[in-house]
Amino acid sequence: MTDYSLKVDNISKYFGRRLIFKELAFQINNNGILGISGSNGSGKSTLVKIIAGINSPSSGKVIHSNDNIEIIPEKLHNYLGFVSPYLVLYEEFSALENLQYFSKIRGVKFNTEKISLLLEKFLLNGRQDDLVKTYSSGMKQRLKFIFALMHNPRLIILDEPTSNLDSAGKDVVYQIIEEESSSNIVIIASNEESDLLICKNEIKLEDFKPALSA
Amino acid sequence: MTNKAYALYQKDFHSEMRTRYAVNSLAMFVIVAISVILFSVGNETITQSLTAGLFWVVIFFSAMSGLSRAFVSEEERGTTLALQLVAAPTTIFSGKLFFNIVLVFCMNIVITILYSALFDSFAIKNFGLFIVAFFFGCAGLAIASTIIAAIISKAGAKGTLYPVLSFPILLPLILTSVQLTLMAFDGSTFSDAKFELAIIICYDVIMLTASYLLFDFVWKD
C-alpha cells in the first residue's frame, strides 16, 4: 500500500463577491474519516469539488501526493472515488454497461469479481442488467458507490452519502465506509448526524467564514 | 490515451444508437434542406458555383443541428461530472472529437450522394481534388464544432449560441471548401488549388492545436 496524502493549503472560495469559506487548511494522511459539516449552502459541495479537482479555489491550493510525489491533475481521477446526489450515471445503459464503459474510459481492467462482490454488498445483485432509468433513487445512489469504489481509489469523497437510502442501504454504506477507512482516506460532507458520528475528525465550515464566526 | 478515447467513442456510439439524439436531427435536417432546395430550384438549371455554395450550406447547417449534442447531451443529462471523474480532459476531447468526425463524415457522404443523384450541376471533374477538399473540410468542421459545443454546453441559450458562435469561426473553412469544390467541378489541378489547400490544412492544424490547449479551461468550472 502506497503513502497517500491530501493537503489543503489555505484555500478560499468566492462566488463573485460572496465569500464561501476563507483560509481553510488541513492535512490527512493514508487513512481515516474526515467529516465536513455546515448548514445548507455553506459550501460543503463546493469544498469537496475543489478537493476532487473539479472546481478551482479562488486562492490557495490542494495537493494530492502518492509516495511523496505530487499527483498531477490529469492523473487525479485514478486515485479518486466520488459519490454525490448530483452525480448522474447513464440512464440509457444498464448498471453493468455503465461500469464497463467507465472502466474502459478510465483505462483500468474490468474486475468482474470485485464488481460482483460490490453488487452483492450494495444489494443490486440480479438487477445489474436492467437499465438505470428503471432504478429507484435509492438504487441509483447505491450504484454510485460501486462506481466510486470499483477502481480501488485511495481517496473516497462522499457528498451526502446516505441521501435517498433506506435504513438497510445506510447500514451497508456505514459498513463500507468503516472498511475503506482502514486503508484509505474517506471524506464525508453531510448534515446528517448519523453520517458525522462515524467521522474521526470534523471540519465545520462556519468556522471558516470570518463574518459569521466573529 | 487512444484506447481510453476510443472507449469514450464506443460509449457515445452505443448511447447514440439507444437515444438517437444526433442522428435523427441530422437526418431530418438533411432531408428537409435538400427537399427545400429542390422545390426552390424547380426546373431551372443552377450554376456550378451556386451548387458548390448550396452543398456547403447544407453541410454547415446540418452540422449545426447535430454536432453540439456531443457535449450538450452530457450537460443536459447531468453526466458531465461522471466523465470528469473518470478521465483526463484530453481523453474526453479526443473521444468526443472522434465521435463527431465519424458523424460528420457519414453525414457528408450521404449529402454528397444525394447531391450527385439530384443535381445535374454537381458534376465533379477532378475527383481527387474533391476528395482532398471533402476530407479536410469535414475534419475542420468536426474539430471546430466539437470545441464550440464544449464552450456553449455550459451556457443557457445553447441552441441559439451554437450557430451564432460557429459562423465566424467556420466562415474561412466554408469559403475555402466552397472554392475548392468549385475548382473540383472546373477540373482544376492540384497545383491550381495549392493556395486554397494550404489554407484549409492550416485551418485544421490551428483549430486542432487551439482546441486541445483551450479544452482544459472549458472542461473544468
Side-chain angles (χ1 to χ4, degrees):
Chain A
M1 188 64 73
T2 54
D3 281 337
Y4 192 93
S5 107
L6 164 68
K7 186 180 179 187
V8 173
D9 190 8
N10 279 321
I11 60 167
S12 302
K13 182 69 181 178
Y14 290 86
F15 283 127
R17 293 175 66 183
R18 191 163 67 89
L19 172 70
I20 308 300
F21 47 77
K22 195 174 182 184
E23 289 171 4
L24 197 153
F26 64 87
Q27 180 161 357
I28 182 164
N29 298 319
N30 290 324
N31 56 10
I33 312 174
L34 173 72
I36 298 170
S37 63
S39 53
N40 290 340
S42 61
K44 296 186 297 295
S45 298
T46 305
L47 176 58
V48 293
K49 281 185 188 173
I50 291 172
I51 294 170
I54 295 158
N55 283 3
S56 307
S58 305
S59 65
K61 61 178 183 172
V62 178
I63 303 163
H64 297 260
S65 313
N66 193 40
D67 276 342
N68 294 320
I69 298 167
E70 192 173 333
I71 301 164
I72 58 168
E74 287 74 26
K75 300 272 179 198
L76 184 60
H77 60 269
N78 292 328
Y79 299 88
L80 197 76
F82 194 98
V83 176
S84 78
Y86 44 85
L87 172 69
V88 181
L89 304 182
Y90 293 97
E91 303 237 321
E92 67 271 26
F93 294 145
S94 69
L96 214 52
E97 285 170 338
N98 263 292
L99 300 172
Q100 282 169 337
Y101 276 124
F102 284 126
S103 285
K104 281 189 194 173
I105 296 168
R106 211 180 236 128
V108 296
K109 192 173 171 286
F110 184 73
N111 188 337
T112 316
E113 269 178 41
K114 169 134 192 169
I115 298 296
S116 301
L117 194 72
L118 286 170
L119 283 166
E120 203 170 314
K121 270 186 179 172
F122 283 100
L123 317 170
L124 286 175
N125 226 356
R127 295 292 306 272
Q128 67 267 34
D129 293 319
D130 294 353
L131 296 184
V132 172
K133 67 180 169 193
T134 65
Y135 280 22
S136 69
S137 52
M139 289 166 76
K140 285 178 188 168
Q141 181 72 2
R142 280 183 264 145
L143 179 60
K144 289 176 201 174
F145 274 92
I146 304 177
F147 163 76
L149 298 172
M150 62 192 281
H151 59 295
N152 303 313
R154 293 300 324 270
L155 173 63
I156 301 159
I157 298 174
L158 309 172
D159 190 0
E160 311 280 1
T162 52
S163 63
N164 298 316
L165 291 180
D166 54 17
S167 55
K170 282 182 184 177
D171 290 343
V172 173
V173 165
Y174 293 142
Q175 187 199 333
I176 295 277
I177 290 173
E178 287 291 348
E179 282 171 22
E180 290 292 330
S181 67
S182 62
S183 53
N184 299 309
I185 300 170
V186 181
I187 295 177
I188 300 174
S190 180
N191 276 328
E192 287 280 327
E193 217 169 285
S194 54
D195 294 355
L196 296 169
L197 271 176
I198 57 169
C199 300
K200 308 287 185 279
N201 298 299
E202 188 180 331
I203 288 173
K204 291 180 178 151
L205 280 182
E206 267 72 19
D207 296 342
F208 297 92
K209 295 174 187 281
L212 286 175
S213 55
Chain B
M1 192 194 79
T2 319
N3 287 345
K4 296 178 198 173
Y6 182 65
L8 179 59
Y9 160 78
Q10 283 182 311
K11 187 278 294 172
D12 277 351
F13 185 80
H14 193 180
S15 175
E16 184 58 39
M17 288 299 102
R18 291 222 174 136
T19 60
R20 312 272 170 166
Y21 263 116
V23 170
N24 282 354
S25 61
L26 279 173
M28 285 313 296
F29 191 89
V30 169
I31 292 165
V32 170
I34 293 180
S35 305
V36 168
I37 292 170
L38 273 176
F39 288 131
S40 314
V41 170
N43 291 326
E44 298 289 323
T45 310
I46 54 171
T47 62
Q48 286 198 319
S49 59
L50 192 58
T51 309
L54 287 172
F55 174 69
W56 282 97
V57 163
V58 172
I59 286 177
F60 172 78
F61 282 107
S62 305
M64 290 307 97
S65 71
L67 296 188
S68 65
R69 306 305 305 176
F71 285 103
V72 171
S73 68
E74 301 280 1
E75 202 64 42
E76 282 176 351
R77 288 181 291 172
T79 48
T80 304
L81 178 63
L83 283 184
Q84 286 173 330
L85 290 168
V86 294
T90 45
T91 307
I92 303 294
F93 186 75
S94 303
K96 294 289 181 188
L97 177 60
F98 190 34
F99 178 76
N100 269 357
I101 284 175
V102 171
L103 201 61
V104 164
F105 271 89
C106 291
M107 172 189 87
N108 291 357
I109 287 167
V110 170
I111 293 173
T112 308
I113 291 168
L114 286 173
Y115 258 79
S116 310
L118 299 170
F119 295 93
D120 294 334
S121 50
F122 195 84
I124 303 159
K125 288 188 183 143
N126 187 341
F127 203 72
L129 182 61
F130 178 78
I131 293 289
V132 172
F134 182 82
F135 175 82
F136 285 109
C138 290
L141 189 63
I143 297 164
S145 303
T146 307
I147 190 65
I148 298 164
I151 293 169
I152 61 107
S153 66
K154 312 254 183 221
K158 301 174 180 65
T160 323
L161 204 56
Y162 193 56
V164 170
L165 198 60
S166 299
F167 180 68
I169 296 171
L170 287 172
L171 194 61
L173 177 79
I174 300 292
L175 290 178
T176 315
S177 299
V178 169
Q179 192 58 37
L180 280 168
T181 307
L182 199 53
M183 289 172 124
F185 288 167
D186 288 346
S188 304
T189 61
F190 274 95
S191 66
D192 294 335
K194 64 184 177 196
F195 181 68
E196 283 77 9
L197 284 172
I199 291 175
I200 204 168
I201 292 168
C202 288
Y203 179 92
D204 287 7
V205 172
I206 291 166
M207 280 310 297
L208 190 63
T209 313
S211 298
Y212 271 102
L213 290 174
L214 187 65
F215 187 69
D216 255 17
F217 302 99
V218 174
W219 187 234
K220 302 229 163 171
D221 286 336

Coordinates of all heavy atoms in Angstrom, one line a residue, chain A residues 11-53:
Chain A
I11 N -7.0 27.4 1.4 CA -7.9 27.7 0.3 C -9.0 28.6 0.7 O -9.6 28.5 1.8 CB -8.4 26.4 -0.4 CG1 -9.2 25.6 0.5 CG2 -7.3 25.7 -1.1 CD1 -10.0 24.5 -0.3
S12 N -9.4 29.5 -0.2 CA -10.5 30.4 0.0 C -11.4 30.3 -1.3 O -10.8 30.0 -2.4 CB -10.1 31.8 0.1 OG -9.3 31.9 1.3
K13 N -12.6 30.5 -1.1 CA -13.5 30.4 -2.3 C -14.5 31.6 -2.3 O -15.2 31.7 -1.3 CB -14.2 29.1 -2.4 CG -15.1 28.9 -3.7 CD -14.3 28.8 -4.9 CE -15.2 28.7 -6.2 NZ -14.4 28.6 -7.4
Y14 N -14.6 32.3 -3.3 CA -15.6 33.3 -3.5 C -16.4 33.0 -4.8 O -15.9 32.5 -5.7 CB -14.9 34.7 -3.8 CG -14.2 35.3 -2.6 CD1 -12.9 34.9 -2.3 CD2 -14.8 36.2 -1.7 CE1 -12.2 35.5 -1.2 CE2 -14.1 36.8 -0.6 CZ -12.9 36.4 -0.4 OH -12.2 36.9 0.7
F15 N -17.7 33.3 -4.7 CA -18.5 33.3 -5.9 C -18.9 34.7 -6.1 O -19.7 35.3 -5.4 CB -19.8 32.4 -5.7 CG -19.5 30.9 -5.9 CD1 -20.0 30.1 -4.9 CD2 -18.9 30.4 -7.0 CE1 -19.7 28.7 -5.0 CE2 -18.6 29.1 -7.1 CZ -19.0 28.2 -6.1
G16 N -18.2 35.4 -7.1 CA -18.4 36.8 -7.3 C -17.8 37.5 -6.0 O -16.6 37.3 -5.7
R17 N -18.6 38.3 -5.3 CA -18.1 38.9 -4.1 C -18.5 38.2 -2.8 O -18.2 38.6 -1.7 CB -18.6 40.4 -4.0 CG -18.1 41.2 -5.1 CD -18.7 42.6 -5.1 NE -18.4 43.4 -3.9 CZ -18.8 44.6 -3.6 NH1 -19.7 45.2 -4.5 NH2 -18.5 45.2 -2.5
R18 N -19.3 37.0 -3.0 CA -19.8 36.3 -1.9 C -18.7 35.3 -1.4 O -18.2 34.4 -2.2 CB -21.0 35.6 -2.2 CG -21.8 35.0 -1.0 CD -23.2 34.6 -1.4 NE -23.3 33.6 -2.4 CZ -23.4 32.3 -2.0 NH1 -23.4 31.9 -0.8 NH2 -23.4 31.3 -2.9
L19 N -18.3 35.4 -0.1 CA -17.3 34.5 0.4 C -18.0 33.2 0.8 O -19.0 33.2 1.5 CB -16.7 35.2 1.7 CG -15.8 34.3 2.5 CD1 -14.5 34.0 1.8 CD2 -15.5 34.9 3.9
I20 N -17.4 32.1 0.4 CA -17.9 30.8 0.8 C -17.2 30.3 2.0 O -17.8 29.9 3.0 CB -17.8 29.8 -0.4 CG1 -18.5 30.4 -1.7 CG2 -18.5 28.4 -0.1 CD1 -20.0 30.7 -1.6
F21 N -15.8 30.2 1.9 CA -15.0 30.0 3.1 C -13.6 30.6 2.8 O -13.3 30.9 1.7 CB -14.9 28.4 3.3 CG -14.6 27.6 2.1 CD1 -13.3 27.6 1.6 CD2 -15.6 26.9 1.5 CE1 -13.1 26.8 0.5 CE2 -15.4 26.1 0.4 CZ -14.1 26.1 -0.1
K22 N -12.9 30.8 3.9 CA -11.7 31.6 3.8 C -10.6 30.8 4.6 O -10.8 30.4 5.7 CB -11.9 33.0 4.4 CG -10.7 33.9 4.0 CD -11.1 35.3 4.5 CE -10.0 36.3 4.1 NZ -10.2 37.6 4.6
E23 N -9.4 30.7 3.9 CA -8.2 30.2 4.5 C -8.4 28.9 5.3 O -8.1 28.7 6.4 CB -7.5 31.2 5.5 CG -7.0 32.4 4.6 CD -6.5 33.6 5.5 OE1 -6.6 33.5 6.7 OE2 -6.1 34.6 4.9
L24 N -9.0 28.0 4.5 CA -9.3 26.6 5.1 C -8.0 25.8 4.9 O -7.5 25.7 3.8 CB -10.5 26.1 4.4 CG -11.2 24.9 5.0 CD1 -12.7 24.9 4.5 CD2 -10.6 23.6 4.6
A25 N -7.5 25.1 5.9 CA -6.3 24.3 5.8 C -6.5 23.0 6.7 O -6.9 23.1 7.8 CB -5.1 25.1 6.2
F26 N -6.1 21.9 6.1 CA -5.9 20.7 6.9 C -5.1 19.7 6.1 O -4.9 19.9 4.9 CB -7.3 20.1 7.2 CG -8.1 19.6 6.0 CD1 -8.0 18.4 5.5 CD2 -9.1 20.5 5.4 CE1 -8.7 17.9 4.4 CE2 -9.8 20.1 4.4 CZ -9.7 18.8 3.9
Q27 N -4.6 18.7 6.7 CA -3.9 17.6 6.1 C -4.4 16.3 6.6 O -4.6 16.1 7.8 CB -2.4 17.8 6.3 CG -1.6 16.7 5.6 CD -0.1 17.1 5.3 OE1 0.3 18.2 5.7 NE2 0.6 16.2 4.8
I28 N -4.5 15.3 5.7 CA -4.8 14.0 6.1 C -4.0 13.0 5.4 O -3.8 13.1 4.2 CB -6.4 13.7 6.0 CG1 -6.8 12.4 6.5 CG2 -6.9 14.0 4.6 CD1 -8.3 12.2 6.7
N29 N -3.4 12.0 6.1 CA -2.5 11.0 5.5 C -3.0 9.6 5.6 O -3.6 9.2 6.6 CB -1.2 11.1 6.2 CG -0.5 12.4 6.1 OD1 -0.5 13.1 5.1 ND2 0.1 12.9 7.2
N30 N -2.9 8.9 4.5 CA -3.1 7.4 4.4 C -4.5 6.9 4.7 O -5.1 6.2 3.8 CB -2.1 6.7 5.3 CG -0.7 6.8 4.8 OD1 -0.5 6.8 3.6 ND2 0.2 6.9 5.7
N31 N -5.0 7.2 5.8 CA -6.4 6.6 6.1 C -7.1 7.5 7.1 O -6.6 8.4 7.6 CB -6.3 5.1 6.6 CG -5.4 5.0 7.8 OD1 -5.0 6.0 8.4 ND2 -5.1 3.8 8.2
G32 N -8.4 7.1 7.4 CA -9.2 7.8 8.3 C -10.4 8.4 7.7 O -10.6 8.4 6.4
I33 N -11.3 8.9 8.5 CA -12.6 9.5 8.0 C -12.6 11.0 8.5 O -12.5 11.2 9.7 CB -13.8 8.8 8.6 CG1 -13.7 7.2 8.4 CG2 -15.1 9.3 7.9 CD1 -14.8 6.4 9.0
L34 N -12.8 11.8 7.6 CA -12.9 13.3 7.9 C -14.3 13.7 7.5 O -14.8 13.5 6.4 CB -11.9 14.1 7.0 CG -12.0 15.6 7.1 CD1 -11.5 16.1 8.5 CD2 -11.2 16.3 6.1
G35 N -15.0 14.4 8.4 CA -16.3 14.9 8.2 C -16.3 16.4 7.8 O -15.4 17.1 8.4
I36 N -17.1 16.8 6.9 CA -17.3 18.2 6.6 C -18.7 18.6 6.9 O -19.6 18.0 6.3 CB -16.9 18.6 5.2 CG1 -15.4 18.2 5.0 CG2 -17.1 20.0 4.9 CD1 -15.0 18.3 3.5
S37 N -19.0 19.5 7.8 CA -20.4 19.8 8.1 C -20.6 21.3 7.9 O -19.7 22.1 7.8 CB -20.7 19.4 9.6 OG -19.9 20.2 10.5
G38 N -21.8 21.7 7.9 CA -22.2 23.1 7.6 C -23.7 23.1 7.2 O -24.2 22.1 6.7
S39 N -24.3 24.3 7.4 CA -25.7 24.4 7.1 C -25.9 24.3 5.5 O -24.9 24.4 4.8 CB -26.2 25.7 7.6 OG -25.4 26.7 7.1
N40 N -27.1 24.3 5.1 CA -27.4 24.3 3.6 C -26.8 25.5 3.0 O -27.0 26.6 3.5 CB -28.9 24.2 3.4 CG -29.5 22.9 3.7 OD1 -28.8 21.9 3.8 ND2 -30.8 22.9 3.9
G41 N -26.1 25.3 1.9 CA -25.5 26.5 1.2 C -24.2 27.0 1.8 O -23.7 28.0 1.4
S42 N -23.7 26.2 2.8 CA -22.4 26.7 3.4 C -21.2 26.4 2.6 O -20.1 27.0 2.9 CB -22.3 26.0 4.8 OG -22.2 24.6 4.6
G43 N -21.3 25.6 1.6 CA -20.2 25.3 0.7 C -19.5 24.0 0.8 O -18.4 23.8 0.4
K44 N -20.3 23.0 1.4 CA -19.7 21.6 1.6 C -19.5 21.0 0.2 O -18.4 20.5 0.0 CB -20.7 20.8 2.3 CG -21.0 21.2 3.7 CD -21.9 20.2 4.4 CE -23.3 20.0 3.8 NZ -24.2 21.2 3.9
S45 N -20.4 21.1 -0.7 CA -20.2 20.5 -2.0 C -19.1 21.2 -2.8 O -18.4 20.6 -3.5 CB -21.5 20.6 -2.8 OG -22.5 19.8 -2.2
T46 N -19.1 22.6 -2.6 CA -18.0 23.3 -3.3 C -16.7 22.9 -2.8 O -15.7 22.7 -3.6 CB -18.2 24.9 -3.0 OG1 -19.5 25.2 -3.4 CG2 -17.2 25.7 -3.7
L47 N -16.5 22.7 -1.5 CA -15.2 22.2 -1.0 C -14.9 20.8 -1.5 O -13.7 20.6 -1.9 CB -15.3 22.2 0.6 CG -14.1 21.7 1.3 CD1 -12.8 22.5 0.9 CD2 -14.2 21.7 2.8
V48 N -15.8 19.9 -1.5 CA -15.4 18.6 -2.0 C -15.1 18.6 -3.5 O -14.2 17.8 -3.9 CB -16.5 17.5 -1.6 CG1 -16.5 17.2 -0.1 CG2 -17.8 17.8 -2.2
K49 N -15.8 19.4 -4.2 CA -15.5 19.6 -5.7 C -14.1 20.1 -5.8 O -13.4 19.7 -6.8 CB -16.5 20.4 -6.4 CG -17.8 19.7 -6.7 CD -18.7 20.7 -7.5 CE -20.1 20.1 -7.6 NZ -21.0 21.1 -8.3
I50 N -13.7 21.1 -5.0 CA -12.3 21.6 -5.1 C -11.3 20.5 -4.7 O -10.3 20.4 -5.4 CB -12.2 22.9 -4.2 CG1 -13.0 24.0 -4.7 CG2 -10.7 23.3 -4.0 CD1 -13.1 25.2 -3.8
I51 N -11.6 19.8 -3.7 CA -10.7 18.7 -3.3 C -10.6 17.7 -4.5 O -9.5 17.2 -4.7 CB -11.1 18.0 -2.0 CG1 -11.0 19.0 -0.8 CG2 -10.3 16.7 -1.7 CD1 -11.7 18.5 0.4
A52 N -11.7 17.4 -5.1 CA -11.7 16.4 -6.2 C -11.1 17.0 -7.5 O -11.0 16.3 -8.5 CB -13.1 15.9 -6.5
G53 N -10.8 18.3 -7.5 CA -10.2 18.9 -8.7 C -11.2 19.3 -9.8 O -10.8 19.6 -10.9

